[in-house]
């Protein structure tokens, strides 16, 4: 019997997200997870001491603030925040993102707090 291979369709996955700042896993590759998330407004200052974090903007405009500057990303652009670099994402209007990071990484890094999402939930 032939196996069925199914692509991840972002246009079907994003509507399933009902809250902002709550990343959900759509795929894994080795120990890395591909997470989608809707964001709006300001996040918290945080860092990931053990890993880089990749932001790919699917829709909207994202600004990532750093203590010494910022980078602005539009749909179709990506940026890798190096491990240990404190950063704070911001979206004036809703942004749809694809994040790539190792399994088990918390969205708030070591900062914790009320914005910490339950980790490793698949959608």
């Amino acid at each position: 019997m032939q196996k069925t291979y199914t692509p991840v369709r972002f246009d079907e996955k994003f509507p399933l997200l009902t809250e902002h700042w709550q990343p959900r896993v759509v795929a894994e590759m080795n120990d890395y997870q591909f997470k989608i998330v809707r964001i709006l407004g300001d996040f918290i200052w945080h860092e990931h001491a053990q890993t880089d974090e990749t932001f790919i903007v699917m829709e909207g405009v994202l600004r990532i603030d750093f203590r010494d500057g910022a980078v602005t990303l539009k749909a179709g652009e990506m940026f890798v925040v190096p491990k240990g670099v404190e950063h704070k994402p911001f979206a004036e209007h809703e942004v749809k993102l694809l994040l790539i990071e190792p399994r088990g990484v918390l969205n708030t890094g070591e900062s914790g707090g009320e914005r910490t999402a339950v980790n490793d939930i698949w959608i």
Side-chain angles (χ1 to χ4, degrees):
M1 183 168 162
Q2 188 173 14
K3 184 174 178 175
T4 302
Y5 294 92
T6 307
V8 173
R9 295 198 41 134
F10 295 114
D11 62 338
E12 293 175 356
K13 296 292 186 180
F14 274 108
L16 301 174
L17 298 177
T18 58
E19 298 178 70
H20 292 111
W21 303 107
Q22 297 296 311
R24 297 295 182 248
V25 179
V26 295
E28 286 188 332
M29 179 186 72
N30 302 318
D31 293 332
Y32 281 83
Q33 293 181 322
F34 295 77
K35 300 176 182 180
I36 60 170
V37 63
R38 291 176 180 256
I39 67 168
L40 179 63
D42 235 348
F43 200 52
I44 64 167
W45 285 103
H46 69 285
E47 64 184 86
H48 304 282
Q50 302 301 317
T51 187
D52 300 337
E53 182 177 27
T54 301
F55 290 81
I56 301 172
V57 177
M58 307 297 286
E59 186 177 303
V61 177
L62 170 71
R63 188 183 77 220
I64 304 173
D65 294 325
F66 303 98
R67 293 294 184 180
D68 60 353
V71 63
T72 300
L73 307 173
K74 298 179 292 241
E77 296 181 329
M78 68 176 269
F79 186 83
V80 178
V81 177
K83 68 180 175 181
V85 174
E86 196 174 20
H87 59 286
K88 179 176 65 74
F90 170 78
E92 184 174 346
H93 304 285
E94 185 178 77
V95 171
K96 295 176 183 174
L97 287 176
L98 174 63
L99 301 171
I100 304 171
E101 55 197 11
R103 185 181 307 117
V105 171
L106 293 176
N107 64 328
T108 54
E110 290 77 33
S111 297
E114 64 184 40
R115 284 275 176 100
T116 302
V118 176
N119 214 1
D120 299 345
I121 295 179
W122 284 73
I123 193 165

